[in-house]
Every structure is written in C-alpha cells, then in structure tokens.
C-alpha cells in the first residue's frame, strides 16, 4: 500500500489537524463547500491514486449534513482511484437508533453502515460506539477505540478518595465495570427508563454511594438529562462529589444550562466533537484523543494491531 493521505471534512478540522501533527504530515488538499442550494461540493485537489486514504469526519450535529459530506468525500476518493479508503468517524452519529424500539421504526445505524460501504469505504475507525452490537452492522473492516484510555488516566491523576463509578443506565454497566476495575473503585448502577425520546427517568440506584465521590460514565451526553438526573439521585443518596465523563460531548438542546445548574462538579469529555465557544464552559474539561487516533491510523496503515493500543480499555 502506497503512503498515507489524510483529509478532513468540515465537522472537526482542529481535531484532524491535531491528528496530522501527531503523524507529522500535512492534511491533504481538498475543497469542500456548499452550492447556493445547500448541496455539498467536494474536490480532491491532489492525486489519491493507489494511496492509503483516511477521511476524518465525525458525524455529529448537523448529522445529516456531516454524514452526506463524508459519503461524498468517500465517493470522490473512490472515483479518483484511491488504493484504500478508511472513514475515520470519531463520533458515529445515528448510533442510538440501533434497534427497532417500536414496531415501525428504522434501524438507522445499520443504514449508515450500509451507506458507507456502498459509497466505497473499505473500513471505518470509530470511538465508543453507543452499543457494541453496532459492530455487526458493518460488513467492511471496523476498528474501534475507547475514550477510557485517556479518561481513566485523567481521573487516576486526580486521586479522588472513596471513588465509585456509576453506570447511568443498565446499558452502561459494562463500561462502568471496566472503569471501576482500572481505577480500583466501587460500582453503582442506575436503573433508567425513557418514557419518550430525550426524557430520562430514574427508577432505582443499586450500590452504596454515601460519603463517596461518584464518577458517572457514559458514551455521550446529549441533552444532559441522564447525567443530571443521575447526579441528583446520587446526591439524594448521600454522595460527596459528583463527576461525569463521556467520550462524545453532543451537548444538544438545553444541555449547557442543565449541566451548569446541576450537582455535577466537573464534566470530562473528549474532542471527538468540536465544541462551539458557547459550549466551552468552566465545568467542562476536554481531553484530546487525537494521538490515539493517529496511532491507530498508523497501525492500520502498517497492518499492525489496533487492539494493542486499547490497553485493556474495554
Ligand atoms: C443512552 O443510552 C446513551 O448512552 C446516553 O445515556 C444518552 O444518549 C444521553 O442522553 P441525554 O443526555 O439526552 O440524557
């Protein structure tokens, strides 16, 4: 396989530049812009013939726009005879629609995986998918990374006393158990129900949090309802300090106000999604996962193990 070529879409260019800097290479020349009617125009300015191409584009808000931009970039590279195309999608949008929760619903996560393959991607590199089962939606190569690789280190350095890791719902319990193991902490689980989309209702708290520092871990924070309600329940049950961490700061709707007003002392996220100025509040700490992605890109290019980078971060 000929040399690596990296390109960035418009959804998180600072992240792509950081990855490129770690790899000590420039980003490839590409023109991405909108036509007057809102359609997307892409032109790969340099030759990609035979090259190992990596396209960096998380598909967060506006999800449809960013996804379409990525698909068009893949198509442009395919038609320009790229040797191999890997879509690097630090935040894989539409992941929450991974099953039919109601009879006539689509499985949009599967549709997105199909679209990427049909457009011509040979593989994808993602971080903290909403659910591990989504791996099965891809018939092309799928490599995945975990934000816990950097989040665990951050909290280990804080040396919080009497730490309990909290899963804000049953689905998050595997992730929470792994954090608890690596941070030598206790474990608590919250039983959450969603009476309707974007509304999180808490039912029970399993575990002892009285007088403890609690760290709620999740894949993403969307409206903030899940972590804010969890923090409230933890405080009502005697928790000392409450922290929250997730890979993807989706931060939609009233999330920032919800987080500001909440019992949470600090919210630790990564840079898979670019945070606009108004979302960069004091309570939010952003950790970079660019080096991890750079290492994974190099490993994929050199046909080396990507799982070796995970550091038992499952
Ligand atoms: C859902 O199961 C996810 O893991 C997150 O808990 C959810 O997306 C967070 O959403 P929100 O912040 O709107 O409660």
């Amino acid at each position: 396989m000929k040399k690596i070529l990296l390109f960035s879409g418009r959804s998180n260019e600072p992240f792509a530049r950081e990855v490129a800097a770690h790899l000590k290479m420039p980003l490839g020349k590409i023109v991405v812009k909108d036509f007057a009617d809102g359609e997307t125009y892409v032109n790969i300015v340099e030759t990609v013939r035979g090259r190992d191409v990596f396209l960096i584009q998380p598909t967060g808000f506006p999800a449809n726009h960013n996804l379409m931009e990525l698909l068009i970039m893949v198509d442009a590279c395919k038609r320009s005879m790229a040797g191999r195309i890997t879509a690097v999608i630090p935040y894989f949008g539409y992941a929450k629609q991974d099953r039919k929760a109601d009879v006539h619903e689509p499985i949009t996560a599967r549709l997105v995986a199909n679209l990427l393959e049909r457009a011509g991607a040979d593989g994808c590199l993602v971080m903290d998918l909403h659910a591990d089962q989504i791996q099965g939606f891809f018939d092309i190569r799928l490599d995945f990374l975990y934000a816990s690789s950097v989040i665990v280190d951050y909290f280990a350095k804080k040396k919080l006393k009497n730490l309990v890791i909290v899963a804000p719902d049953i689905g998050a319990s595997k992730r929470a158990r792994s954090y608890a193991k690596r941070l030598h902490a206790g474990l608590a689980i919250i039983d959450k129900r969603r009476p309707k989309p974007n509304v999180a209702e808490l039912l029970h708290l399993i575990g002892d949090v009285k007088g403890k520092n609690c760290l709620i871990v999740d894949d993403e924070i969307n409206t903030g309802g899940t972590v804010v309600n969890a923090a409230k329940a933890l405080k009502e049950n005697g928790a000392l300090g409450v922290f929250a961490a997730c890979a993807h700061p989706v931060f939609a709707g009233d999330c920032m106000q919800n987080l500001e007003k909440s019992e949470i002392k600090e919210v630790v996220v990564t840079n898979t999604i670019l945070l606009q100025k108004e979302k960069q509040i004091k309570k939010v700490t952003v950790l970079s996962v660019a080096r991890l992605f750079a290492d994974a890109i190099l490993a994929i290019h050199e046909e080396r193990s990507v799982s070796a980078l995970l550091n038992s971060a499952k």
Side-chain angles (χ1 to χ4, degrees), residues 14-306:
F15 176 80
R17 277 197 295 275
E18 234 189 282
V19 172
H22 284 303
L23 289 168
K24 297 189 172 47
M25 62 177 65
L27 284 171
K29 293 192 183 64
I30 184 172
V31 174
V32 187
K33 57 185 184 184
D34 295 326
F35 287 107
D37 60 2
E39 291 182 359
T40 302
Y41 170 83
V42 169
N43 189 350
I44 311 284
V45 182
E46 54 192 291
T47 181
V48 294
R49 186 176 289 272
R51 301 287 290 269
D52 196 8
V53 173
F54 290 83
L55 304 174
I56 304 176
Q57 172 84 336
T59 53
F61 181 83
N64 295 348
H65 185 91
N66 287 330
L67 172 63
M68 196 62 205
E69 188 167 296
L70 173 61
L71 293 169
I72 295 171
M73 287 164 66
V74 173
D75 186 70
C77 290
K78 187 84 189 163
R79 291 175 195 284
S80 305
M81 312 303 160
R84 182 170 72 169
I85 303 166
T86 301
V88 181
I89 315 172
Y91 172 67
F92 181 82
Y94 280 118
K96 291 187 290 300
Q97 295 182 45
D98 60 350
R99 68 196 188 290
K100 287 177 73 137
D102 203 351
V103 278
H104 296 152
E105 287 186 350
I107 302 182
T108 319
R110 167 78 204 217
L111 172 67
V112 172
N114 288 349
L115 287 170
L116 285 161
E117 180 176 355
R118 193 68 190 89
D122 299 292
C124 293
L125 172 62
V126 298
M127 172 164 269
D128 280 64
L129 282 174
H130 172 63
D132 287 344
Q133 303 86 287
I134 298 171
Q135 294 163 13
F137 294 171
F138 290 82
D139 289 329
I140 51 177
R141 168 175 46 84
L142 177 73
D143 283 297
F144 43 90
L145 299 170
Y146 292 99
S148 59
S149 309
V150 295
I151 296 173
V152 163
D153 283 353
Y154 180 80
F155 279 95
K157 282 185 193 129
K158 268 187 175 298
K159 294 192 192 328
L160 292 170
K161 295 251 177 315
N162 294 324
L163 183 63
V164 173
I165 306 299
V166 181
D169 56 35
I170 304 291
S173 51
K174 192 177 155 216
R175 175 182 295 107
R177 202 172 305 122
S178 153
Y179 271 82
K181 195 170 151 208
R182 284 179 288 150
L183 284 166
H184 310 290
L187 179 67
I189 298 170
I190 286 174
D191 183 16
K192 175 183 92 176
R193 294 276 186 280
R194 273 205 193 280
K196 54 182 182 185
N198 288 335
V199 176
E201 202 172 80
L202 305 191
L203 296 179
H204 306 288
L205 169 67
I206 307 158
D208 177 19
V209 297
K210 198 157 185 236
K212 311 272 173 76
N213 279 308
C214 293
L215 169 60
I216 308 164
V217 291
D218 213 344
D219 56 327
E220 65 171 50
I221 295 175
N222 190 352
T223 62
T226 300
V227 287
V228 168
N229 288 344
K232 193 162 168 265
L234 293 168
K235 276 293 197 183
E236 282 165 6
N237 282 272
L240 196 63
V242 180
F243 299 79
C246 74
H248 312 300
V250 179
F251 291 173
D254 293 333
C255 185
M256 301 328 288
Q257 293 95 303
N258 295 340
L259 292 179
E260 284 276 28
K261 281 189 287 177
S262 76
E263 315 267 9
I264 304 171
K265 276 189 173 171
E266 184 182 7
V267 181
V268 178
V269 302
T270 81
N271 57 349
T272 56
I273 294 174
L274 181 62
L275 281 191
Q276 302 307 327
K277 269 253 156 5
E278 67 274 12
K279 296 185 178 174
Q280 298 173 10
I281 61 172
K282 234 175 128 198
K283 252 189 199 188
V284 174
T285 302
V286 183
L287 305 179
S288 178
V289 286
R291 175 174 287 282
L292 195 57
F293 273 88
D295 291 347
I297 287 170
L298 202 58
I300 292 168
H301 176 66
E302 294 174 351
E303 308 284 355
R304 285 186 288 105
S305 164
V306 173

